[in-house]
Amino acid sequence: MSLRTAGSVLVVFLWSVAVVLGQDGWSVTYTPQSICTLKGSTVEMSCSYTHPSGYIVTSTFWFTRNDAEENPVSLSDEPDYKGRVTYHKDNKNDCTLRITDLRESDSATYKFRFITDQTGGRFTGNPGVTLSVTDLQVKVTPYSVVSAWKTLTCTTCVLTGNPTYTWYKNGQIVTDNTSPYSVYPDAADSYSCAVKSNEDLHTPAVCVQDQSCNRVTYIDKSICALKGSSVDISCTYSSYHAIKTTFWFRSDKSAPEDLTRDPEYAGRALESLPSTLRITDLRESDSAEYKFRFNTQISGWGYSFPGTTLSVTDLQVKVTPAAEGQKTLTCSTTCTLTDNPTYIWYRNGQRLDESTSLQYSVNSSYSDSYSCAVKSHEDIQAPAVCVVGESCMNVTYTHQSICALKGSTVDISCFYTHPRWHNVTEVSWFSKWETGVTNDLSQDPEYADRVKYHRQTDEDSTLTITDLRERDSTEYKFRFKTVHAEWGYTFSGTTLSVTGLQVEMTPATVTEGQRVTLACRTVCTLTDNPNPSYIWYKLGQRLTNQNNSLILNPVSSEDAGRYSCAVEGFEDLHSPEETLTVKYGPKNTLASIHLSDEIVEGSSVTLTCISDANPPVDKYTWYKKIGAHYQSFSHGNTELQHVFSHIQSSDTGEYYCEARNEMGTDRSESINIDVKYGPKSTLVSVSPSGDIVEGSSVTLTCSSDANPPVQSYAWYKNGSVYQSIFYGNTEPQQVFSQIKSSDTRQYYCWVSNGISTDRSPSLDIDVKYAPKSTSVSVSPAGEIVEGNSVTLTCSSDANPPVDKYTWYKKNVTSPKASGQSYSITNIISEDRGEYYCEAENKYGRLTSSPVFVDVQYDPKNTSVSVSPSGEIVEGSSVTLTCSSDANPPVQSYTWYKTIGYQSVSYGNTEPQQVFNQIKSSATGEYYCEAWNGIKTGRSESINIDVKYGPKNTSVSVSPSGDIVEGSSVTLTCSSDANPPVDKYTWYKKNVTSPKASGQSYSITNIISEDRGEYYCEAENKYGRLTSSPVFVDVQYGPKNTSVSVSPSGEIVEGSSVTLTCSSDANPPVKRYTWYKKSGHQSVSYGNTEPQQVFNQIKSSATGEYYCEAWNGIKTGRSESINIDVKYGPKNTSVSVSHSGEIVEGSSVSLTCSSDANPPVQNYTWYKKNVTSPVLSGQNYNITNISSEDSGHYLCEARNKIASENSTALKIIVAGKHTSIKTAAVGIIIVVLVLILCLSGFMWFRTKASKSTSIETRDTADEGQGDSTLLYDNMAMQQRQSPSSQDDVPYTSVHVSPSKNQEELCAPSSNCLNPRDRTEMSSTLL
């Protein structure tokens, strides 16, 4: 539903001749007499009027017609003018009529009429003002008989002032000009015009030559729609050329942009038809001008042509005072809603049935709130407002609507208020109701384990629903009840829309290379994330795109497949998969041969062509390479297979196939067809040629002509199958990587290709080699003792034989001798070592393995070495090694450490003494002894000095014992180290920086802040070590003693209050004493605990408090803290200032007194049988009192804590005395009676009190009936304080008669004169 209004304010005056009509001093002057203006604009008609003196104008209005009784009907009462007519004036006798959104039906004669306070004092000004309302029109006429040009005229009634016109061609401004306007016609062109600065009142576009020209006509010039509703903006259009694209856009954008692609309108703007734009969930930011545009291959509709102006408004309830005790509520919008909408009113969340109009009158009530809505848009309601005050019944939802993902969790929250004297008894959320009965969601099985209520304050509530389902989409409402009222169930709540995700493809089927858009859609905009990031999936695999649209441009066949999407943060909530189909020409075309075996001449061979295409391939063509070119040989065959039934050797060659569909063609790679045959001309060749030397690489190659090539080879040596170092060798080559002398033989090969076999002729191989197996023998055998003789002999195998021998000793560079034998006489220990010989011929030389000549001798050069070298640090690994030259080698070692003048054996017989983690105790001198079974050798001593960092670090305190604040303390640090400690540093625990340096740390005049744990750090070049902390306990008396109050804030009588005494002391406080100041003294409470608790504090507890803390050393006292107990009014009473009898015409002042903290803020006066309060203020002054003022009076005292009523006071007003003389006579008579009847005076006074003056509560008042004070108003019952009783106590007062008195009332007092007083109306709280 759309609600529309007009927006132009163009006013056109035809002439401004003042028309004065009148007689005998009666006149109306119209300025002007006739007006012509445009449809949709605004007009003002002005006049002034006169009348004879002595008349007072009581009513003025404009009219166009008379009713059935010939009485003029005011325009403000005409339904057709409702909301469009206003009267106003600048001076006393001005009369101006303003009409907005002019319609052609408004064309009429308008007259002004005024009415005075005297009979016959009425006057109507004739002839009035004639108003003509018209549309602009474009009139097309030929320029001349012989010319093709056309003249365009923007026609209407004659407009003065030489106006300028704006002309549009195909929706685009072409010129600013006066009318007429000449154009050369084109069948496609349309034209429109408007008065400049009022372009929204343009004419419809008209064709100049052909009725199928370019045109766009908007159904509405302006639309007013409710915030949160939907609107359809429509137009009709036509085009001379074929239309390519259409879209809607906002005119305030820098460039026309399709609204359906605008992120601001995501999920809200769609084109239900090409010429209708539908916008849902309207926002105030949507208020703008919307235009339609189409494009053709040649041109398009311009974007400067005025479109439809959308105004988005919300509803507001405005409260204005009305009659006494009444308020007028108006359902207000920022733009006028037409179509005479029906309104719906709500009180306290419950729909009212009695009013359907724009305004609604209500009684003033502190409890009630009101809201309104437009019928058919009940879900769009104005915020509820209080009629009186700010604490009425109200519920405000955080969101009117929420959109959430299926399977997710949603929070629906609201805030609610109620009068402060109401107690909430029940809160609940519901979504279903029948005949006024709501179902609590927490008890609904459909929401079992999915619903939770929670709140942060006493005036908010949040409904949490988990695992959302689509059937959860509905309206959710909050309801609460108090002891006096409840929130209704018909007021709109929060509408939840549960949406899944849906993938939309545009287009659904696409050709490879084109553009395709995949959009992730929801049926509504997600509330918590209106612009979410999206995650796309293909075949279940995550893609990188994070927009709601996945654009594939250009799309390829690889993009085809199933797609789904999800919102980031809800990756487990996927949309259903949608399949993207991509059309493409053949690709990956492959030609293959279907064979069960090799192709042998005469066998059957099938060629198959395979290609990937969509749609599938519909034609195949085969080609064969002949020379440098390929030729087709299909001969009309378009199938994917080509068959050679009996293949010939001439069919050997290269082939490919070509695949074709409606999208294109593609060819395969070439394949080869080869016809097979058996081996021929088999022989063996050797490489390299010439002498074959042992150790060289020799290759025997078996070659043969065969197709297919030879598959297996068999090598033979001397007529038997040759077993080479590669067993089972079937390759065409037999390779000897390093040929051996044993390989000298005759070789031949057998070949086979699966068709037949063949043998090669034999080939002789003669291998030459250098000396091998060279060895040395020693004579004589056995042990060689220093002084004996030895002979060494060299032997070797070679082809040709060895022609040179040379002798060497290991580690000696020059040769020792030459010849096959080498003799050593009188051998010594230095001759001990390894000897070898070298044999040589023309192909090389070879050295024998060494032979060790072992000469035995005693140990020599015994010594000890240390590893590693350098300083030895404790904890490192240190190895002592004993070295000695001996043959045979040393058999045992003995290690010794020198201690004083003695040597201690370690019992270790190994050549190494290992300290894995050497200790400081290992420092000393060490030596070793070596024994080889012949003799013992001893080493020199070596010194071991082990370095180590500080250890055994400790702190000592001097003096020992208790440390009292003000004394001195010295801390000393001790540590063992090598080298000695060169740096001491002192620290206090939890203090970052060091306290001091040096071996000792002294603290003089120690204070409580020095209390804590201290430790030292000892350091040398090999490390540092921290001591264990030593606690320095400084004892001191209580400090910083203070009192705190819990809870903080105001203290109200009857609440629980706790005073806490805190103090810093060592040892801790042992006893607390509490005091309250009383004048100049302090009173002890006798409480020794750290807390003083008032379970139900009384007003008498107000005062100053302090505490004392004692720890056995000293006593500390806190500062005083003030306790101010707040309480509601007490001892409320009424006093009267008048003495004597109250007679008519006198003045009486009533004063209300009450004890309260804070002081009373409001005093309110009540009179029995009068529902509303009679006055507010501490004093109630009644001047010129009358008998009607007789009655019971009471006052109510109120502060922010509570309220209390006084006892009722009865006022009796005696009749007024007729004269002073009569009053004097009466007084004389009374005095005489008193003198004569002195003995009976008390009895007479008691009798008179019962009959005329003083009455008790049980005495009936004349003319008043029962004196019991009744309050029928329910609100009066609510205002009673908790301590009030069902009956209000009251008294009556009678004062002795007095003379006529002057009215006594100070200018600042609240005085009421009965004759001048009007009844006050106010809702009782």
Side-chain angles (χ1 to χ4, degrees):
M1 170 180 175
S2 299
L3 304 171
R4 305 175 176 85
T5 186
S8 175
V9 291
L10 174 66
V11 178
V12 180
F13 299 104
L14 183 59
W15 60 78
S16 298
V17 178
V19 180
V20 181
L21 301 170
Q23 56 185 3
D24 301 328
W26 299 86
S27 69
V28 174
T29 303
Y30 295 101
T31 308
Q33 182 182 358
S34 179
I35 297 176
C36 174
T37 188
L38 295 176
K39 177 182 176 182
S41 66
T42 295
V43 69
E44 286 189 354
M45 304 178 206
S46 299
C47 72
S48 61
Y49 61 93
T50 64
H51 56 79
S53 62
Y55 290 82
I56 298 176
V57 175
T58 60
S59 175
T60 63
F61 59 91
W62 289 77
F63 68 96
T64 60
R65 69 179 185 89
N66 296 332
D67 60 14
E69 298 177 356
E70 294 302 317
N71 294 317
V73 179
S74 174
L75 288 180
S76 59
D77 296 330
E78 294 276 16
D80 289 345
Y81 290 88
K82 189 172 183 180
R84 299 192 298 125
V85 168
T86 55
Y87 300 156
H88 62 92
K89 61 182 179 179
D90 296 328
N91 298 309
K92 181 177 180 181
N93 291 344
D94 284 349
C95 42
T96 301
L97 166 66
R98 181 183 180 90
I99 308 175
T100 61
D101 188 19
L102 284 169
R103 308 165 186 174
E104 289 180 301
S105 60
D106 295 337
S107 296
T109 298
Y110 293 79
K111 298 179 182 181
F112 176 75
R113 181 175 176 85
F114 64 92
I115 303 172
T116 69
D117 60 345
Q118 299 187 25
T119 303
R122 303 182 179 188
F123 187 79
T124 298
N126 284 309
V129 179
T130 301
L131 174 65
S132 300
V133 181
T134 181
D135 263 339
L136 285 174
Q137 296 292 333
V138 174
K139 183 179 180 181
V140 183
T141 57
Y143 187 78
S144 67
V145 177
V146 295
S147 175
W149 284 72
K150 302 284 186 181
T151 298
L152 308 181
T153 306
C154 198
T155 64
T156 181
C157 49
V158 178
L159 302 178
T160 60
N162 193 26
T164 300
Y165 294 87
T166 299
W167 287 93
Y168 300 87
K169 176 183 177 182
N170 295 330
Q172 192 67 32
I173 295 177
V174 290
T175 183
D176 292 337
N177 206 336
T178 58
S179 177
Y181 172 53
S182 298
V183 299
Y184 190 84
D186 185 289
D189 294 339
S190 68
Y191 290 87
S192 176
C193 69
V195 175
K196 191 166 180 64
S197 301
N198 290 278
E199 285 81 357
D200 57 331
L201 302 177
H202 58 83
T203 69
V206 299
C207 301
V208 177
Q209 184 168 330
D210 193 303
Q211 290 306 307
S212 59
C213 65
N214 300 327
R215 278 191 291 189
V216 172
T217 302
Y218 295 95
I219 304 302
D220 300 292
K221 290 183 179 179
S222 60
I223 298 176
C224 175
L226 286 175
K227 178 181 177 182
S229 66
S230 298
V231 68
D232 285 344
I233 304 175
S234 302
C235 69
T236 60
Y237 67 97
S238 63
S239 173
Y240 187 79
H241 302 288
I243 293 176
K244 185 178 179 182
T245 59
T246 64
F247 63 91
W248 286 85
F249 66 97
R250 281 178 63 142
S251 64
D252 56 357
K253 296 290 186 179
S254 57
E257 178 184 357
D258 188 347
L259 277 182
T260 60
R261 296 182 181 178
D262 189 338
E264 189 176 337
Y265 289 84
R268 298 193 303 119
L270 56 93
E271 295 184 38
S272 55
L273 293 172
S275 60
T276 299
L277 169 67
R278 172 166 292 174
I279 306 176
T280 61
D281 187 19
L282 283 172
R283 307 167 185 173
E284 288 179 313
S285 59
D286 295 335
S287 295
E289 183 184 33
Y290 293 84
K291 298 181 180 182
F292 175 79
R293 191 177 188 189
F294 63 81
N295 293 312
T296 68
Q297 296 287 355
I298 299 174
S299 63
W301 183 254
Y303 50 82
S304 60
F305 193 67
T308 296
T309 299
L310 172 64
S311 299
V312 180
T313 179
D314 58 1
L315 293 173
Q316 295 289 336
V317 175
K318 293 185 177 180
V319 182
T320 55
E324 182 178 352
Q326 298 284 313
K327 300 285 186 179
T328 297
L329 309 181
T330 303
C331 197
S332 174
T333 57
T334 57
C335 53
T336 303
L337 304 179
T338 55
D339 300 333
N340 195 25
T342 299
Y343 292 87
I344 300 169
W345 288 93
Y346 299 84
R347 181 177 64 214
N348 295 338
Q350 192 65 32
R351 179 170 175 169
L352 303 175
D353 297 327
E354 63 266 24
S355 179
T356 58
S357 62
L358 178 68
Q359 292 185 325
Y360 181 48
S361 295
V362 298
N363 293 323
S364 298
S365 170
Y366 281 92
S367 298
D368 293 340
S369 67
Y370 289 86
S371 177
C372 65
V374 173
K375 190 170 184 179
S376 301
H377 289 280
E378 287 85 348
D379 57 330
I380 304 171
Q381 295 172 336
V385 299
C386 301
V387 177
V388 180
E390 298 179 353
S391 299
C392 60
M393 301 286 288
N394 193 5
V395 173
T396 303
Y397 294 91
T398 306
H399 297 283
Q400 286 187 342
S401 61
I402 295 179
C403 176
L405 284 174
K406 177 182 178 182
S408 66
T409 297
V410 69
D411 285 340
I412 303 173
S413 59
C414 72
F415 297 90
Y416 62 97
T417 61
H418 55 81
R420 61 179 179 271
W421 59 86
H422 285 211
N423 292 322
V424 177
T425 59
E426 179 184 341
V427 296
S428 65
W429 286 85
F430 64 95
S431 62
K432 301 174 184 176
W433 59 92
E434 295 178 1
T435 63
V437 177
T438 60
N439 296 322
D440 189 339
L441 284 180
S442 63
Q443 308 300 322
D444 192 336
E446 190 174 335
Y447 291 87
D449 301 325
R450 297 195 299 125
V451 162
K452 181 180 179 182
Y453 300 165
H454 53 92
R455 66 180 185 180
Q456 294 180 341
T457 69
D458 291 337
E459 295 183 348
D460 73 87
S461 180
T462 299
L463 165 66
T464 299
I465 308 176
T466 60
D467 186 20
L468 284 174
R469 304 161 186 175
E470 289 182 350
R471 65 174 179 266
D472 294 337
S473 296
T474 187
E475 184 181 25
Y476 293 85
K477 300 182 180 182
F478 174 78
R479 194 176 190 189
F480 72 96
K481 296 181 180 180
T482 72
V483 294
H484 302 294
E486 64 179 307
W487 183 254
Y489 57 86
T490 58
F491 194 70
S492 293
T494 296
T495 300
L496 172 64
S497 299
V498 181
T499 177
L501 297 172
Q502 187 66 40
V503 175
E504 295 180 0
M505 297 183 183
T506 308
T509 302
V510 68
T511 301
E512 188 172 36
Q514 292 182 337
R515 171 189 171 118
V516 65
T517 301
L518 284 70
C520 193
R521 303 290 191 193
T522 56
V523 298
C524 53
T525 302
L526 298 178
T527 302
D528 291 339
N529 194 1
N531 296 303
S533 295
Y534 292 86
I535 301 171
W536 285 92
Y537 299 86
K538 179 183 178 184
L539 302 176
Q541 297 298 313
R542 180 170 178 162
L543 304 178
T544 58
N545 188 285
Q546 289 191 330
N547 296 322
N548 72 315
S549 294
L550 176 63
I551 300 175
L552 304 175
N553 187 21
V555 70
S556 69
S557 59
E558 287 77 10
D559 294 325
R562 300 187 307 277
Y563 288 82
S564 63
C565 64
V567 172
E568 190 172 41
F570 297 91
E571 288 82 351
D572 54 336
L573 304 178
H574 281 218
S575 70
E577 289 187 325
E578 293 291 334
T579 301
L580 173 64
T581 302
V582 181
K583 286 187 176 183
Y584 52 93
K587 59 172 66 176
N588 303 323
T589 305
L590 176 68
S592 61
I593 304 174
H594 290 267
L595 292 173
S596 60
D597 207 344
E598 294 177 338
I599 301 176
V600 181
E601 189 172 21
S603 63
S604 176
V605 175
T606 300
L607 303 182
T608 301
C609 189
I610 301 173
S611 184
D612 177 21
N614 187 18
V617 173
D618 53 24
K619 180 181 179 182
Y620 294 90
T621 305
W622 287 94
Y623 295 85
K624 178 183 179 183
K625 188 174 183 178
I626 299 177
H629 304 284
Y630 287 89
Q631 295 182 2
S632 172
F633 68 95
S634 296
H635 307 298
N637 178 22
T638 61
E639 299 300 321
L640 58 89
Q641 290 184 328
H642 180 77
V643 179
F644 296 93
S645 300
H646 298 281
I647 196 164
Q648 303 296 318
S649 58
S650 58
D651 293 326
T652 296
E654 292 184 12
Y655 296 81
Y656 76 83
C657 67
E658 181 182 79
R660 178 187 299 273
N661 71 356
E662 65 183 50
M663 308 303 296
T665 61
D666 185 47
R667 61 161 284 180
S668 70
E669 295 291 330
S670 298
I671 60 172
N672 187 60
I673 294 182
D674 196 11
V675 179
K676 308 298 181 180
Y677 52 90
K680 304 174 183 178
S681 306
T682 306
L683 58 86
V684 175
S685 60
V686 61
S687 175
S689 60
D691 283 348
I692 299 173
V693 180
E694 186 177 36
S696 63
S697 177
V698 176
T699 301
L700 304 182
T701 302
C702 183
S703 57
S704 183
D705 177 22
N707 191 16
V710 173
Q711 296 176 353
S712 65
Y713 296 82
W715 290 92
Y716 290 86
K717 175 182 177 182
N718 293 333
S720 62
V721 176
Y722 174 67
Q723 298 296 328
S724 70
I725 59 173
F726 303 103
Y727 290 99
N729 183 15
T730 60
E731 300 301 318
Q733 291 181 326
Q734 176 61 43
V735 179
F736 300 93
S737 298
Q738 289 183 326
I739 198 164
K740 300 178 181 179
S741 58
S742 58
D743 293 328
T744 298
R745 290 292 185 273
Q746 288 185 335
Y747 295 87
Y748 64 90
C749 66
W750 279 93
V751 295
S752 172
N753 70 343
I755 297 175
S756 63
T757 61
D758 190 33
R759 171 182 167 166
S760 71
S762 296
L763 176 68
D764 287 326
I765 298 297
D766 182 19
V767 181
K768 306 294 184 180
Y769 53 94
K772 60 172 63 177
S773 304
T774 303
S775 63
V776 175
S777 60
V778 181
S779 178
E783 290 184 351
I784 301 172
V785 181
E786 196 170 20
N788 293 343
S789 296
V790 175
T791 299
L792 307 178
T793 302
C794 186
S795 303
S796 184
D797 173 27
N799 183 17
V802 173
D803 54 17
K804 182 181 179 182
Y805 292 94
T806 305
W807 290 93
Y808 297 91
K809 182 181 180 183
K810 195 171 184 180
N811 297 325
V812 177
T813 305
S814 57
K816 299 296 289 183
S818 61
Q820 194 168 5
S821 295
Y822 171 44
S823 296
I824 305 173
T825 59
N826 194 21
I827 197 166
I828 60 177
S829 61
E830 284 75 8
D831 293 326
R832 183 175 180 269
E834 293 181 290
Y835 292 84
Y836 59 90
C837 67
E838 180 184 79
E840 182 180 354
N841 69 1
K842 63 179 290 188
Y843 291 107
R845 60 173 65 92
L846 181 65
T847 298
S848 70
S849 298
V851 172
F852 187 72
V853 176
D854 189 17
V855 180
Q856 295 186 351
Y857 54 90
D858 298 338
K860 304 176 181 179
N861 305 320
T862 304
S863 64
V864 176
S865 61
V866 183
S867 176
S869 60
E871 286 188 340
I872 299 172
V873 181
E874 185 176 37
S876 63
S877 177
V878 177
T879 301
L880 305 182
T881 303
C882 187
S883 303
S884 184
D885 178 20
N887 191 22
V890 174
Q891 297 177 7
S892 68
Y893 296 85
T894 304
W895 288 92
Y896 296 92
K897 178 181 180 183
T898 301
I899 301 176
Y901 296 100
Q902 296 181 345
S903 296
V904 179
S905 172
Y906 269 73
N908 180 14
T909 60
E910 298 300 320
Q912 290 183 325
Q913 174 66 36
V914 179
F915 300 91
N916 289 322
Q917 288 186 324
I918 197 164
K919 299 180 180 179
S920 58
S921 59
T923 297
E925 292 188 355
Y926 294 82
Y927 67 89
C928 70
E929 291 182 350
W931 179 77
N932 72 339
I934 299 175
K935 193 177 178 181
T936 297
R938 171 176 168 168
S939 70
E940 296 291 331
S941 295
I942 187 171
N943 185 59
I944 299 298
D945 184 17
V946 181
K947 308 292 185 181
Y948 53 93
K951 57 175 69 175
N952 303 322
T953 304
S954 63
V955 175
S956 61
V957 184
S958 177
S960 59
D962 289 344
I963 300 171
V964 181
E965 193 171 30
S967 62
S968 297
V969 174
T970 299
L971 308 180
T972 303
C973 188
S974 303
S975 186
D976 174 28
N978 182 21
V981 172
D982 53 20
K983 182 180 179 183
Y984 292 92
T985 306
W986 288 91
Y987 296 92
K988 182 180 180 183
K989 195 169 184 180
N990 298 323
V991 178
T992 306
S993 58
K995 299 294 290 183
S997 61
Q999 192 168 6
S1000 295
Y1001 171 40
S1002 296
I1003 307 173
T1004 59
N1005 195 20
I1006 197 164
I1007 59 176
S1008 60
E1009 286 75 9
D1010 294 325
R1011 183 174 183 265
E1013 293 183 286
Y1014 291 82
Y1015 59 92
C1016 68
E1017 181 184 76
E1019 180 179 358
N1020 67 2
K1021 65 181 289 186
Y1022 293 105
R1024 59 172 64 94
L1025 181 65
T1026 299
S1027 70
S1028 297
V1030 171
F1031 186 72
V1032 177
D1033 188 15
V1034 182
Q1035 295 187 350
Y1036 52 92
K1039 302 179 179 181
N1040 304 321
T1041 306
S1042 64
V1043 176
S1044 61
V1045 184
S1046 175
S1048 59
E1050 282 192 346
I1051 299 173
V1052 181
E1053 187 173 35
S1055 62
S1056 177
V1057 176
T1058 300
L1059 305 184
T1060 301
C1061 187
S1062 304
S1063 186
D1064 176 24
N1066 186 26
V1069 174
K1070 299 178 180 178
R1071 185 181 70 238
Y1072 294 88
T1073 305
W1074 286 93
Y1075 296 91
K1076 178 183 179 184
K1077 288 185 177 181
S1078 178
H1080 297 288
Q1081 296 181 343
S1082 297
V1083 178
S1084 172
Y1085 269 73
N1087 178 15
T1088 60
E1089 298 300 319
Q1091 289 184 325
Q1092 174 67 34
V1093 179
F1094 300 91
N1095 289 322
Q1096 287 188 323
I1097 197 164
K1098 299 180 181 180
S1099 58
S1100 58
T1102 296
E1104 291 189 20
Y1105 294 80
Y1106 67 90
C1107 68
E1108 289 182 351
W1110 179 76
N1111 72 337
I1113 297 177
K1114 191 177 178 182
T1115 297
R1117 172 176 167 170
S1118 71
E1119 294 292 330
S1120 296
I1121 186 171
N1122 187 58
I1123 299 298
D1124 184 16
V1125 181
K1126 307 294 184 180
Y1127 52 92
K1130 302 179 180 179
N1131 306 320
T1132 305
S1133 63
V1134 177
S1135 62
V1136 60
S1137 64
H1138 192 284
S1139 62
E1141 186 180 50
I1142 301 173
V1143 297
E1144 285 188 337
S1146 62
S1147 296
V1148 174
S1149 178
L1150 305 182
T1151 300
C1152 189
S1153 302
S1154 184
D1155 174 27
N1157 185 20
V1160 172
Q1161 297 169 329
N1162 295 311
Y1163 292 93
T1164 307
W1165 290 91
Y1166 298 92
K1167 182 180 180 184
K1168 177 184 175 183
N1169 297 327
V1170 177
T1171 304
S1172 303
V1174 295
L1175 195 69
S1176 60
Q1178 189 170 10
N1179 295 321
Y1180 177 27
N1181 297 320
I1182 308 174
T1183 61
N1184 197 14
I1185 197 166
S1186 66
S1187 59
E1188 287 80 3
D1189 294 318
S1190 295
H1192 293 85
Y1193 291 83
L1194 64 87
C1195 70
E1196 179 197 64
R1198 176 183 296 276
N1199 67 1
K1200 69 176 185 178
I1201 305 298
S1203 65
E1204 184 183 66
N1205 291 340
S1206 71
T1207 58
L1209 177 70
K1210 184 173 183 179
I1211 299 296
I1212 299 174
V1213 181
K1216 188 172 183 181
H1217 294 280
T1218 58
S1219 68
I1220 298 176
K1221 181 178 180 180
T1222 303
V1225 172
I1227 293 173
I1228 293 171
I1229 294 172
V1230 170
V1231 171
L1232 291 175
V1233 171
L1234 289 175
I1235 294 172
L1236 295 175
C1237 303
L1238 182 61
S1239 60
F1241 175 74
M1242 294 304 300
W1243 177 87
F1244 176 80
R1245 180 175 177 86
T1246 304
K1247 186 68 175 178
S1249 174
K1250 291 181 179 179
S1251 61
T1252 61
S1253 300
I1254 303 174
E1255 298 186 60
T1256 64
R1257 177 174 178 175
D1258 298 325
T1259 303
D1261 186 14
E1262 183 179 356
Q1264 298 294 326
D1266 188 0
S1267 62
T1268 302
L1269 186 60
L1270 300 178
Y1271 291 88
D1272 297 328
N1273 190 305
M1274 179 179 179
M1276 188 62 198
Q1277 297 173 4
Q1278 297 171 353
R1279 65 184 286 114
Q1280 297 299 318
S1281 65
S1283 63
S1284 298
Q1285 303 300 316
D1286 293 338
D1287 294 327
V1288 179
Y1290 58 90
T1291 63
S1292 61
V1293 175
H1294 171 77
V1295 186
S1296 60
S1298 64
K1299 298 180 179 181
N1300 293 340
Q1301 299 175 3
E1302 295 179 356
E1303 294 182 357
L1304 301 178
C1305 180
S1308 61
S1309 300
N1310 296 320
C1311 299
L1312 292 179
N1313 188 317
R1315 289 189 295 273
D1316 299 332
R1317 187 167 61 246
T1318 58
E1319 186 176 355
M1320 298 176 61
S1321 175
S1322 176
T1323 301
L1324 298 180
L1325 296 177

